[in-house]
Amino acid sequence: MEVSTSSPQVAGSVDWPSDWLRATLGFLCLRALSAGPSYGYAIISELERHGFGTIKGGTLYPLLTRYETAGLVTTEWRAGDGGPGRKYFALTETGRTELTRLSADWLRFSGATTRYLDQPTMEGSS
Amino acid sequence: MIQQTSDKKWFDQLVMELRMRQVHGSAIGDTIASAKELLRDTGQPAEKMFGPARDYAKALELPSAPKHDWICQALWPSTLGLLAFLLFNQAVVPWTRSELLLVSPAQLAFLATPVVLIAFLPLYLDAIIRRIWLCVGLSGIGALSGVLSAVAAPQNRAEAWLAVDPLPWLIGSALVMVALSIRNTTQSALTTGHDDITDPSSATAKSTGTGIKVFVQITNWLFPLLALAMLGLALVLR
């Protein structure tokens, strides 16, 4: 996957509470890798383009390192065009299975949250 | 220019932090190369992109060698070498003068000070690497205790707590120093290059240069060399 130059698909504000991003960044990164192997800046750009703000390298790389240790991603250095190479991250089968599981869980969780928030409030009820 | 300087300082700190965490050279090379790759892409300063080097090194949670490895491989032999060197120094002058080796309790305590300081190094190594004044202070204490041990040396047999033949101590300490130097030389020959920091983005290693190899060998034979110098000095001045 390369850095896209198409028009951004911003999902709204990028100023999300840090707790929310901390909880979701893991499977968002797995999702960013689902289309194929990618590198640090491309993953950051992909997440930024989809409205999650600018993820710092100090947040992204420790996460990906933990995922590599856990066997969810593999890494490979590929030669650059006349310059230094790039480190590519790729989903493993375990990583793909984990992404599917976490995505389903998240959809159930966000659905439940939305349904609860959409419920009319019963002010004055005891 | 300023950013290059601050980035270099940040990377130096990162390497030091990862080394202190006993991370293998190849993993350090990978970390450095991937961080540089992202900085090239974003054009941001390292501190802004990754935060403080110490926090980043901690957050990466890279696999590391057991913390006790370097204690067994380097610290205990160095402590034993220092102890042998100090014993040799105490025995060499009486031996060249055909006198007994006289020892007082205060002298022993002062001699033990640098040995104790090195033996307990793992407890405060992080602190002395980060605070230069602490390193200077401890070195000063070690040097001062050496001077004070000479001051506290008994002048005659009546003042001495122990009076022994210096020759066995001289030979024993010399043998220990030489044995440790041979062990260190063999070990460094077997392990040279295995923990070098390798750059995976260009598949080149910062190989151990000749200067470094010579420096390592001098370090391996430092105590026997210094002991020889002390022996020569004692023979000249007797």
Side-chain angles (χ1 to χ4, degrees), chain B residues 38 45 75 93 105 144 216 228:
Chain B
L38 191 56
L75 184 66
V93 174
L144 186 66
V216 168
L228 262 181

Side-chain angles (χ1 to χ4, degrees), chain A residues 39-41 44 56-58 61-62 65-66 77 84-87, chain B residues 30 33-34 37-38 40-41 48-50 56 59-60 62 200-201:
Chain A
Y39 54 90
Y41 183 58
I44 289 172
K56 298 287 183 190
Y61 281 140
T65 304
R66 280 200 295 280
W77 280 91
R86 283 194 182 282
K87 185 177 184 178
Chain B
D30 189 280
S34 53
E37 176 203 326
L38 191 56
R40 271 195 307 274
D41 287 335
K48 190 179 176 192
M49 180 50 80
F50 295 100
Y56 184 54
L60 283 170
L62 291 168
S201 64

Side-chain angles (χ1 to χ4, degrees), chain A residues 8-93:
Chain A
Q9 303 166 15
V10 177
S13 169
V14 294
D15 197 16
W16 303 111
S18 59
D19 284 355
W20 294 7
L21 276 177
R22 204 173 299 131
T24 55
L25 189 60
F27 62 84
L28 292 176
C29 284
L30 294 179
R31 174 68 181 84
L33 293 171
S34 62
S38 186
Y39 54 90
Y41 183 58
I43 296 169
I44 289 172
S45 302
E46 167 87 352
L47 295 177
E48 192 172 13
R49 205 164 54 87
H50 284 85
F52 297 107
T54 307
I55 309 300
K56 298 287 183 190
T59 306
L60 179 71
Y61 281 140
L63 180 71
L64 291 171
T65 304
R66 280 200 295 280
Y67 281 176
E68 188 184 4
T69 307
L72 303 183
V73 299
T74 56
T75 61
E76 180 193 10
W77 280 91
R78 296 184 188 173
D81 297 329
R86 283 194 182 282
K87 185 177 184 178
Y88 276 79
F89 300 87
L91 272 188
T92 61
E93 273 312 306

Side-chain angles (χ1 to χ4, degrees), chain B residues 84-184:
Chain B
F85 176 67
L86 292 172
L87 277 174
F88 185 92
N89 278 347
Q90 294 301 310
V92 70
V93 174
W95 178 72
T96 55
R97 293 178 180 173
S98 303
E99 294 172 355
L100 287 173
L101 170 59
L102 305 177
V103 184
S104 72
Q107 185 190 12
L108 269 186
F110 285 127
L111 281 175
T113 304
V115 178
V116 171
L117 285 178
I118 290 185
F120 285 96
L121 197 61
L123 298 178
Y124 55 83
L125 181 65
D126 285 12
I128 62 170
I129 287 175
R130 294 198 173 92
R131 295 174 189 85
I132 189 70
W133 59 265
L134 192 57
C135 182
V136 172
L138 287 171
S139 305
I141 290 172
L144 186 66
S145 63
V147 173
L148 289 175
S149 74
V151 174
Q155 300 301 311
N156 53 58
R157 195 163 180 175
E159 291 177 10
W161 178 52
L162 277 175
V164 293
D165 181 1
L167 187 61
W169 293 96
L170 197 73
I171 295 172
S173 57
L175 285 176
V176 168
M177 282 187 284
V178 171
L180 285 171
S181 295
I182 292 171
R183 171 200 175 274
N184 292 341

